[in-house]
Amino acid sequence: MSEASTEKPLVHRRRRLSLRKLHALAGVVPVGVFLVVHLCLQAKALEGQAAYDAAFAPLAAFAAFTQAPVARVLELGLVILPLAFHALYGVKLALEGKPEEGKYPASRRWMYTVQRATGIVAFLFVGFHLWEYWAQQWLGRTAPEQLYPSLAANLSSMVGPVPVVAFAYLSGIAASAVHLALGLWTFCVSWGLTVSRRAQVGAAWAFGLLGLLVFLLGASTTLYFATGANLWG
C-alpha cells in the first residue's frame, strides 16, 4: 500500500475527530451557556410581566444602541450559527453513528443512545421555539413587549382538556436538559478533562444534577405560563 493511500484515511479520521471536538465545544460554549442564561431570564416571568420585561430591557437597549443590523449580526454569529452547526452536525452523527458493541460498556452505549435521541427531540423543539418567537421578532412581526402575553396565551391554550403546547414545551425542555448534561460529560471526556473513572463518575453526578436543575427551572416557568401557579411559592 502506498504512502499516499494510507494518508487519506488518516487525514479523514483527524478531520472527523476535529469536527466532533468542535461539535462538543459548540454544545457547551455558546449553546449550553445560552440555554442556561435564556432559561434564567425566562424564569423572571415568575415575578410577573414587569420583572420579565425589565430582565430583557438591557438586551433591547443594547440592540437600540448598536442599531438593529449590528445586534442581529452579533446574534447570528454568537448564537444562531453555532447552534445551527451543533444541531445539524449532531443530527448527522445521530443518523450515521452507533456505539460499537465490544468497544464500550453497556452504560456508555446507553448514554450514547439517549444523547442522540434527546438531541433529535431538542433539535425539533428549539427549531419550533425559534420560529414561534425569535424569528417573528427578527422579521418585525412581534414586538418585545408582546412576548410575555404571547407565551401566556400560547402555553395556556387547550386542545380539549389537554394543554398540548405546554406538554410539548415540557418534553422539549426535558430533552434539552438531558442532552446538555450528557453533552457536558462527553465534552469533558473528549477533551481529556476527565481521564480517570473516578473523575468521570463525579462529572456524571455533577452534570446530572445540573441537568435536573435546568429542567426544573424551565418546567416551573412553563407551568407558570400555562396555569399561573408558581412552584416556588
Side-chain angles (χ1 to χ4, degrees), residues 30-189:
V31 176
V33 173
F34 175 78
L35 172 65
V36 175
V37 172
H38 181 68
L39 289 177
C40 287
L41 288 174
Q42 292 295 325
K44 296 298 289 185
L46 301 174
E47 302 174 25
Q49 183 172 357
Y52 183 87
D53 291 342
F56 285 91
L59 297 179
F62 173 76
F65 177 74
T66 59
Q67 298 182 344
V70 177
R72 289 179 176 179
V73 168
L74 291 174
E75 195 173 34
L76 285 172
L78 297 179
V79 179
I80 300 302
L81 291 180
L83 174 60
F85 165 71
H86 182 77
L88 295 176
Y89 192 72
V91 170
K92 180 178 183 296
L93 292 176
L95 296 177
E96 292 181 353
K98 62 180 180 179
E100 299 177 23
E101 290 291 334
K103 189 175 180 180
Y104 299 107
S107 59
R108 289 287 298 274
R109 296 197 300 271
W110 176 83
M111 290 174 65
Y112 182 96
T113 301
V114 173
Q115 186 177 15
R116 267 43 183 182
T118 54
I120 295 292
V121 175
F123 171 73
L124 296 174
F125 166 68
V126 171
F128 167 75
H129 181 65
L130 286 176
W131 172 252
E132 285 283 291
Y133 296 102
W134 176 81
Q136 302 310 310
Q137 291 188 61
W138 204 80
L139 294 172
R141 298 174 181 173
T142 304
E145 60 270 16
Q146 295 176 301
L147 184 58
Y148 183 98
S150 176
L151 280 166
N154 198 16
L155 291 173
S156 63
S157 63
M158 309 285 284
V159 178
V162 181
V164 175
V165 178
F167 276 130
Y169 264 71
L170 289 175
S171 300
I173 292 170
S176 300
V178 172
H179 189 72
L180 174 64
L182 292 174
L184 287 170
W185 188 89
T186 302
F187 168 78
C188 289
V189 172

